[in-house]
Amino acid sequence: MKQCVILIDSFTERFGRLLAYLIPLMMLGTAAVVIMRYGFGQGMTALQESVTYLHGTVFMLGAAYTLKHGGHVRVDIFYQRYSLRTKAWIDSIGCIVFLLPLCGLILFTSWEFAGNAWAIHETSVEPGGLPFVYLLKSLLPLMAINLALQGIAELLRNALVLVSPEAANNVD
């Protein structure tokens, strides 16, 4: 179980750090769009859409990294006072009841949506837009898979805490 948690955590960590390199590109793209539009009165559809693609990629595929680092919203007013064991129970139940079913639902509902976009190699409806809408739509099932994997790692980590809190310390 520990090896599985370590493997998934390692993947999520490396992937999240790789995604972080897209943020400066997104910022530069946004600045270029603003300068071109308001400084020179020129629109750049492809650049604008590339910023949207980068934004979508960072947020959709970065969700698992955020989960790994405890960055998602939670009501800490009570949670912070609980013991490690109680937190493990709450997190496990939340993962089983909410996270994994949500990932399954997103995967189920987005699979055909992304598949149809791939089938026709869907492109932007805007003149001068990017011809990769199918890649953007693929982020939905990829996010569900990536987040579910990290959810499984969190569930296994919590199971280790419940079985033996000392053994779980070596996984973090």
Side-chain angles (χ1 to χ4, degrees):
M1 225 175 4
K2 281 184 190 178
Q3 285 304 106
C4 187
V5 172
I6 290 169
L7 181 68
I8 294 170
D9 277 352
S10 176
F11 169 76
T12 300
E13 188 67 30
R14 287 187 178 137
F15 197 63
R17 290 182 182 271
L18 185 65
L19 284 171
Y21 287 108
L22 298 179
I23 295 170
L25 290 174
M26 188 172 59
M27 291 169 45
L28 289 172
T30 301
V33 166
V34 169
I35 290 168
M36 290 302 294
R37 174 159 321 272
Y38 296 106
F40 301 105
Q42 297 292 316
M44 298 183 70
T45 305
L47 184 57
Q48 239 176 310
E49 287 185 1
S50 69
V51 170
T52 301
Y53 281 47
L54 290 170
H55 188 260
T57 302
V58 168
F59 279 89
M60 297 295 277
L61 299 182
Y65 181 84
T66 304
L67 177 63
K68 179 183 181 294
H69 289 279
H72 288 284
V73 175
R74 95 169 22 143
V75 181
D76 283 337
I77 192 166
F78 299 113
Y79 185 85
Q80 67 185 353
R81 297 180 189 167
Y82 294 147
S83 69
L84 187 62
R85 192 167 170 78
T86 303
K87 288 179 182 178
W89 273 112
I90 291 169
D91 291 342
S92 295
I93 292 167
C95 187
I96 293 167
V97 173
F98 298 113
L99 179 65
L100 293 177
L102 177 66
C103 290
L105 178 67
I106 292 170
L107 182 61
F108 178 76
T109 58
S110 66
W111 191 263
E112 188 176 352
F113 179 69
N116 290 339
W118 272 90
I120 62 169
H121 285 268
E122 187 174 354
T123 63
S124 175
V125 296
E126 299 294 326
L130 297 177
F132 309 114
V133 171
Y134 57 97
L135 292 175
L136 187 63
K137 289 184 176 183
S138 297
L139 292 175
L140 289 164
L142 287 174
M143 182 272 302
I145 292 166
N146 198 17
L147 190 57
L149 271 175
Q150 189 58 41
I152 290 167
E154 297 302 317
L155 190 59
L156 293 174
R157 185 184 342 275
N158 290 320
L160 287 170
V161 168
L162 294 170
V163 171
S164 171
E166 298 82 30
N169 290 338
N170 300 335
V171 180
D172 290 331

